Amino acid sequence: MAPLVISATAVSSRPLTIVAFGDSLTAGYGVKTSDSFPAQLQMALQAKGHKVTVTNAGVSGDTTSGGLERLDWALDPKPDAVIMELGANDALRGIDPKVPRENLDKMLADLKAKGIPVLLTGMKAPNNWGDDYAKKFDAIFPDLAKKYDVPLYPFFLEGVALDPSFTQPDGLHPTAKGVAEIVKRILPDVEALIARIEQSETTAKGAAP
């Protein structure tokens, strides 16, 4: 007889909602709405059979302070998971790394208290602020991922940053092609997030009387 085991990623028990919470990199600055990170990620996930909606909660120019102020609004209605992409503007402005660390810490604590799974995406400081600043800033993301036991995608712009074939003329924001590269690279991590959600629900149903 064929085994009756079905992987969590093979079948979605119900449609899921993931909030992509971030700045212009999430919002889709300089590209069509249909080419933004949430839109391309949703298409990629649906193409692999996942019943999922990825909500665009990106605000161009947002810092972690701005994100902290609007997080509760973005979580209504409560999503199944959040992809947290913030920090780039803090680094570009040279804001003391203590500030984004504290803001991200509070947001992750809030998400944990609400029982919302998170995929944290890291960011790297630009070279112009010096090695000491970069060391303190870059450490924020792995430190908090470990503290809250959440998965970390180490660098949101991995494979795209500083590559003129993937970036707009400002040298900072990805083109539609650059967004597609980000989606391709982060997709396995998002699928793992979905698998954890579905596995958790399966376990909860099995434990119910």
Coordinates of all heavy atoms in Angstrom, one line a residue, residues 24-25 29 88 92 123-124 126 155 157 159-175:
S24 N 10.5 50.7 1.7 CA 10.3 50.8 0.2 C 10.7 49.5 -0.5 O 10.2 49.2 -1.6 CB 11.2 51.9 -0.3 OG 12.5 51.8 0.1
L25 N 11.6 48.7 0.1 CA 12.0 47.4 -0.5 C 10.8 46.4 -0.6 O 10.8 45.6 -1.5 CB 13.2 46.8 0.3 CG 14.4 47.6 0.4 CD1 15.5 47.0 1.2 CD2 15.0 47.9 -1.0
Y29 N 9.0 50.4 -4.3 CA 9.4 51.7 -4.8 C 10.0 51.6 -6.2 O 10.9 50.8 -6.5 CB 10.4 52.4 -3.9 CG 11.0 53.7 -4.4 CD1 10.4 54.9 -4.1 CD2 12.2 53.7 -5.1 CE1 10.9 56.1 -4.5 CE2 12.7 54.9 -5.6 CZ 12.0 56.1 -5.3 OH 12.5 57.3 -5.7
A88 N 16.7 49.2 6.9 CA 17.6 49.8 5.9 C 17.6 51.3 6.0 O 18.7 51.9 5.9 CB 17.1 49.5 4.5
L92 N 20.8 53.9 6.6 CA 21.1 54.9 5.7 C 21.2 56.3 6.3 O 22.0 57.1 5.9 CB 20.0 55.0 4.5 CG 20.1 53.8 3.5 CD1 18.9 53.9 2.6 CD2 21.4 53.9 2.7
M123 N 19.5 43.1 7.4 CA 20.0 44.2 6.5 C 21.4 44.5 6.9 O 21.8 44.1 8.1 CB 19.1 45.4 6.7 CG 19.3 46.6 5.8 SD 19.4 46.1 4.0 CE 17.7 45.4 3.8
K124 N 22.1 45.1 6.0 CA 23.5 45.4 6.3 C 23.7 46.9 6.2 O 23.2 47.6 5.3 CB 24.5 44.7 5.4 CG 24.5 43.2 5.5 CD 25.5 42.5 4.6 CE 25.4 41.0 4.8 NZ 26.4 40.3 3.9
P126 N 25.5 50.5 5.3 CA 26.4 50.9 4.3 C 27.8 51.2 4.8 O 28.0 51.4 6.0 CB 25.8 52.2 3.8 CG 25.0 52.7 5.0 CD 24.5 51.4 5.7
F155 N 20.2 38.4 4.8 CA 20.3 39.7 4.1 C 19.3 39.8 3.0 O 19.4 39.1 2.0 CB 21.8 39.9 3.5 CG 22.0 41.2 2.8 CD1 21.4 42.4 3.3 CD2 22.8 41.2 1.7 CE1 21.7 43.6 2.6 CE2 23.1 42.4 1.0 CZ 22.5 43.6 1.5
L157 N 18.7 41.8 0.6 CA 19.2 42.1 -0.7 C 20.3 41.2 -1.2 O 21.0 41.6 -2.2 CB 19.6 43.6 -0.8 CG 18.5 44.6 -0.6 CD1 19.1 46.0 -0.4 CD2 17.5 44.6 -1.7
G159 N 22.5 39.0 -3.2 CA 22.6 38.7 -4.7 C 22.1 39.8 -5.5 O 22.1 39.8 -6.8
V160 N 21.6 40.9 -4.9 CA 21.0 42.0 -5.6 C 21.7 43.3 -5.4 O 21.9 44.2 -6.3 CB 19.5 42.2 -5.3 CG1 18.9 43.4 -5.9 CG2 18.7 40.9 -5.8
A161 N 22.0 43.6 -4.1 CA 22.7 44.8 -3.7 C 24.0 45.1 -4.5 O 24.8 44.2 -4.7 CB 23.0 44.8 -2.2
L162 N 24.1 46.3 -5.0 CA 25.3 46.8 -5.7 C 25.5 46.2 -7.1 O 26.5 46.4 -7.7 CB 26.5 46.6 -4.9 CG 26.5 47.2 -3.5 CD1 27.9 46.9 -2.7 CD2 26.3 48.7 -3.5
D163 N 24.5 45.4 -7.5 CA 24.5 44.8 -8.9 C 23.7 45.7 -9.8 O 22.5 45.7 -9.7 CB 24.0 43.4 -8.8 CG 24.2 42.7 -10.2 OD1 24.3 43.4 -11.2 OD2 24.2 41.4 -10.2
P164 N 24.3 46.4 -10.7 CA 23.6 47.3 -11.6 C 22.6 46.7 -12.5 O 21.6 47.3 -12.9 CB 24.7 48.0 -12.4 CG 25.9 47.1 -12.3 CD 25.8 46.5 -11.0
S165 N 22.7 45.4 -12.7 CA 21.7 44.7 -13.5 C 20.4 44.4 -12.7 O 19.4 44.0 -13.3 CB 22.3 43.4 -14.0 OG 22.6 42.4 -13.0
F166 N 20.5 44.5 -11.4 CA 19.3 44.3 -10.6 C 18.8 45.5 -9.9 O 17.8 45.4 -9.2 CB 19.6 43.2 -9.5 CG 19.7 41.8 -10.1 CD1 20.7 41.0 -9.7 CD2 18.8 41.3 -11.0 CE1 20.8 39.7 -10.2 CE2 18.8 40.0 -11.5 CZ 19.9 39.2 -11.1
T167 N 19.5 46.6 -10.0 CA 19.1 47.8 -9.2 C 18.7 49.0 -10.1 O 19.2 49.1 -11.2 CB 20.2 48.3 -8.2 OG1 21.4 48.4 -9.0 CG2 20.5 47.2 -7.2
Q168 N 17.9 49.8 -9.5 CA 17.5 51.1 -10.2 C 18.6 52.0 -10.3 O 19.7 51.9 -9.6 CB 16.3 51.7 -9.5 CG 15.0 50.7 -9.5 CD 13.8 51.3 -8.8 OE1 13.6 52.5 -8.8 NE2 13.1 50.4 -8.1
P169 N 18.5 53.1 -11.0 CA 19.6 54.1 -11.1 C 20.1 54.7 -9.8 O 21.2 55.1 -9.7 CB 19.0 55.2 -12.0 CG 18.0 54.5 -12.9 CD 17.4 53.4 -12.0
D170 N 19.2 54.7 -8.8 CA 19.7 55.2 -7.5 C 20.7 54.2 -6.8 O 21.3 54.6 -5.8 CB 18.5 55.5 -6.5 CG 17.7 54.2 -6.2 OD1 18.1 53.1 -6.5 OD2 16.6 54.4 -5.6
G171 N 20.9 53.0 -7.3 CA 21.8 52.1 -6.8 C 21.3 51.4 -5.5 O 22.1 50.6 -4.9
L172 N 20.1 51.7 -5.1 CA 19.6 51.2 -3.8 C 18.4 50.2 -4.0 O 18.4 49.1 -3.4 CB 19.2 52.3 -2.9 CG 20.3 53.3 -2.5 CD1 19.6 54.5 -1.7 CD2 21.3 52.6 -1.6
H173 N 17.4 50.6 -4.8 CA 16.2 49.9 -4.9 C 16.3 48.9 -6.0 O 16.8 49.2 -7.1 CB 15.0 50.8 -5.1 CG 14.8 51.7 -3.9 ND1 15.3 53.0 -3.8 CD2 14.1 51.5 -2.8 CE1 14.9 53.5 -2.7 NE2 14.2 52.7 -2.0
P174 N 15.7 47.7 -5.8 CA 15.8 46.7 -6.9 C 14.8 47.0 -8.0 O 13.7 47.6 -7.8 CB 15.4 45.4 -6.2 CG 14.6 45.9 -5.0 CD 15.2 47.2 -4.6
T175 N 15.1 46.6 -9.2 CA 14.2 46.7 -10.3 C 13.3 45.5 -10.2 O 13.4 44.6 -9.3 CB 15.0 46.6 -11.7 OG1 15.7 45.3 -11.6 CG2 16.0 47.7 -11.8

